[in-house]
Amino acid sequence: MYNDLKRHDRIKLKIFVRDDIWDRVTEGGFTEASHITKTTNISWSHENLVNLFVRRLLNNSSVIEYYNLESESIVDDFDKQIDLLKRIFPDKVETGNNPETFRWMTNRIQDGSGKSAPRELIHLSEMIRQQQVNRIERGEEEPDGDLLFERSVFKPALREVSKVRYEQTFKAENASLSEYTDQLKGQKSEQTIDTLSNLWGTSPIEATSIVDRLVKAGFFERRDVKGEVTYWVPFIYRDALDLVQGKAVS
C-alpha cells in the first residue's frame, strides 16, 4: 500500500509506529522495510512534555481567565511555561530529596526503557484533575493561593494510571508474559534472576530468557551496580501490582 500510494502527488501516507512495536515487527528480518525510504524518530523529552502539557492547558479558557494569561507569549517562552506550572502545582508531591512536581509526574510514567509517553501524561493529568474535583465536591479544603491542585491528589491519580497501563496496554500487548508479571503481585519492586527463578518455579536459564523479554517490553529496567545485576520495576507498574519498595532476597 505504501508503494502504491507513492505514485500520487496529492496523497502522502504516514505510518506511526512505537519503537517497541517496530522492533517486534522487524525482529528476525523484515525485507519490506526497505520500501520505507523516509523515516524520522519522534522522541519526548521532559521539555517536550512540558510544552505539550502547557499547550493543552492554554486551550482551557477558564484557566486563561483565572490566571489572566496571554497564551501567545507563554507558548513562545519556555521559561514562562515553567513559571505557569509552578503556579498551578505544589512545589513537590513528596517532601525531602525528591523532584519538583512536573518532573515527578514524568518520572512516574516512565517504563523500563526510561521513556515517558504523552498518552500516560495526559491520562495522569486527567486523573489528577478528577481527584481534585472529588475533593471539592466532598467539601474538603481548596488548594492554597493560586494553586489548582493539592499535593494529596497525585498519588491516587497515579494508581489509576498504573492499573490502566498494566491491564489495558502491557497485558494486552504481552499476553504470554503477563502470567509471570501477575505472580509479582505484592512482591518487592527490585528482583534478581535467583528471586524470580524461585518465584516462577523455573530454572535460572529459563528465568533469564523471560526477564530478557520483559526488559524488551519495558516492564523491567536492568540495573548493574558494582557487578550485581538486578531488575527494577518502574513506578508506572507498581501500584497495579501492589509492589513493595525494596530489593527481594533469595
Side-chain angles (χ1 to χ4, degrees), residues 25-166:
V25 169
T26 57
E27 188 174 8
F30 178 44
T31 56
E32 289 82 1
S34 61
H35 296 312
I36 302 174
T37 57
K38 185 178 180 181
T39 63
T40 185
N41 289 327
I42 301 174
S43 60
W44 289 92
S45 66
H46 175 76
E47 290 75 19
N48 288 340
L49 292 172
V50 168
N51 184 257
L52 169 72
F53 182 89
V54 170
R55 284 177 178 271
R56 289 177 65 89
L57 192 67
L58 292 174
N59 282 327
N60 189 314
S61 58
S62 297
V63 171
I64 291 176
E65 182 179 352
Y66 181 71
Y67 287 111
N68 191 26
L69 303 175
E70 295 183 6
S71 298
E72 290 186 9
S73 66
I74 295 173
V75 169
D76 293 337
D77 190 330
F78 187 75
D79 288 337
K80 289 184 179 180
Q81 295 169 35
I82 295 294
D83 289 340
L84 179 56
L85 294 182
K86 291 179 179 178
R87 292 182 70 183
I88 69 170
F89 288 140
D91 292 341
K92 292 184 176 183
V93 175
E94 298 174 297
T95 58
N97 187 25
N98 287 294
E100 46 80 23
T101 297
F102 196 80
R103 179 75 68 175
W104 183 93
M105 292 168 61
T106 57
N107 286 353
R108 291 306 188 271
I109 61 172
Q110 287 179 353
D111 66 3
S113 70
K115 297 177 181 177
S116 304
R119 174 179 56 184
E120 271 71 51
L121 177 62
I122 293 168
H123 188 195
L124 179 59
S125 304
E126 291 172 348
M127 292 299 99
I128 290 169
R129 174 188 172 278
Q130 187 58 55
Q131 289 290 330
Q132 186 62 55
V133 169
N134 291 344
R135 282 180 57 89
I136 294 171
E137 288 178 346
R138 290 192 298 264
E140 297 186 43
E141 281 190 38
E142 295 192 18
D144 294 333
D146 284 345
L147 296 179
L148 291 184
F149 305 102
E150 290 278 349
R151 181 182 296 172
S152 61
V153 303
F154 289 82
K155 288 186 177 181
L158 180 62
R159 279 196 289 273
E160 295 301 318
V161 176
S162 178
K163 292 174 185 175
V164 170
R165 170 63 184 254
Y166 181 68

Side-chain angles (χ1 to χ4, degrees), residues 166-182:
Y166 181 68
E167 295 289 341
Q168 298 182 18
T169 300
F170 176 80
K171 293 183 70 171
E173 296 177 358
N174 302 277
S176 63
L177 292 173
S178 62
E179 64 176 295
Y180 300 104
T181 56
D182 282 346

